[in-house]
Amino acid sequence: MQESFNLSCQDIEAVYTRQVLDLLVVARDIREGRAEDLADRIESTLEGHLSQMMKFQESPNKTACFYLADELYAASGEKTPETLKSALAESKTAIKQVLSKDCFAEASCGGGVDCHKWPTSLRPVDPDTPDVMGWHYIVGSHCGFSWPFLWKLDCGLPLGLKACTG
């Protein structure tokens, strides 16, 4: 069942501002030499966030989250929580249906006059510019939104998720 959202312009601005604030704190912590502490803080909350997301409808973004979380657990040496094992394992197969087959060059978001770039660390890519050292992008993703519908990312280029190695 889909729910209708009736957010005020102030509510929308607050969500957008919170996302920008999050990016600024991440950048500051990295620049000030606290990258390891930042990674630890993110990893310590990951199980809770992913457990909540298990209730969400299937989507390319959900698959991408679980796929990257699986890679993060493997790289960090942290034990994968039992409650997430099945979803993380499924993401390894599902990601093949979610990412572009080929690699494409990084680009700026673009999208036109009424397209506003979503504040994210994901890279916009140009699906018309192949690049063996570029990015696999999330099929159906967009780097921007049409104001004031920020929950509907519906304009701009797709977002790169996985780096290509040539």
Side-chain angles (χ1 to χ4, degrees):
M1 179 170 95
Q2 289 191 338
E3 294 183 30
S4 173
F5 293 99
N6 291 316
L7 299 175
S8 69
C9 198
Q10 185 176 8
D11 291 336
I12 293 166
E13 289 172 358
V15 171
Y16 186 86
T17 302
R18 174 67 186 270
Q19 187 69 23
V20 172
L21 182 61
D22 184 59
L23 287 174
L24 290 168
V25 168
V26 167
R28 180 201 62 199
D29 284 0
I30 291 169
R31 294 255 184 237
E32 293 179 356
R34 293 191 297 269
E36 285 300 316
D37 179 55
L38 175 64
D40 289 345
R41 282 187 288 132
I42 291 169
E43 290 167 3
S44 73
T45 64
L46 194 54
E47 180 179 4
H49 296 308
L50 293 172
S51 293
Q52 180 66 31
M53 289 176 62
M54 288 177 70
K55 302 171 191 170
F56 293 4
Q57 292 180 16
E58 293 305 318
S59 71
N61 287 326
K62 179 181 172 184
T63 298
C65 282
F66 280 86
Y67 173 77
L68 282 186
D70 185 59
E71 285 193 339
L72 181 62
Y73 279 119
S76 70
E78 291 289 320
K79 185 177 183 239
T80 303
E82 285 296 322
T83 57
L84 299 176
K85 281 186 176 180
S86 176
L88 295 175
E90 289 172 17
S91 73
K92 291 179 191 178
T93 303
I95 198 69
K96 296 171 187 163
Q97 305 304 314
V98 170
L99 292 182
S100 62
K101 180 180 177 223
D102 296 319
C103 300
F104 299 91
E106 192 170 334
S108 61
C109 184
V113 174
D114 293 327
C115 186
H116 302 273
K117 185 176 190 231
W118 181 251
T120 179
S121 59
L122 295 171
R123 297 153 176 85
V125 299
D126 182 353
D128 295 325
T129 308
D131 181 352
V132 296
M133 295 304 290
W135 295 85
H136 292 283
Y137 65 84
I138 303 168
V139 175
S141 66
H142 298 279
C143 61
F145 65 96
S146 302
W147 188 263
F149 305 105
L150 74 123
W151 63 88
K152 186 177 180 188
L153 298 170
D154 62 355
C155 62
L157 296 171
L159 294 168
L161 180 73
K162 186 175 178 183
C164 302
T165 56

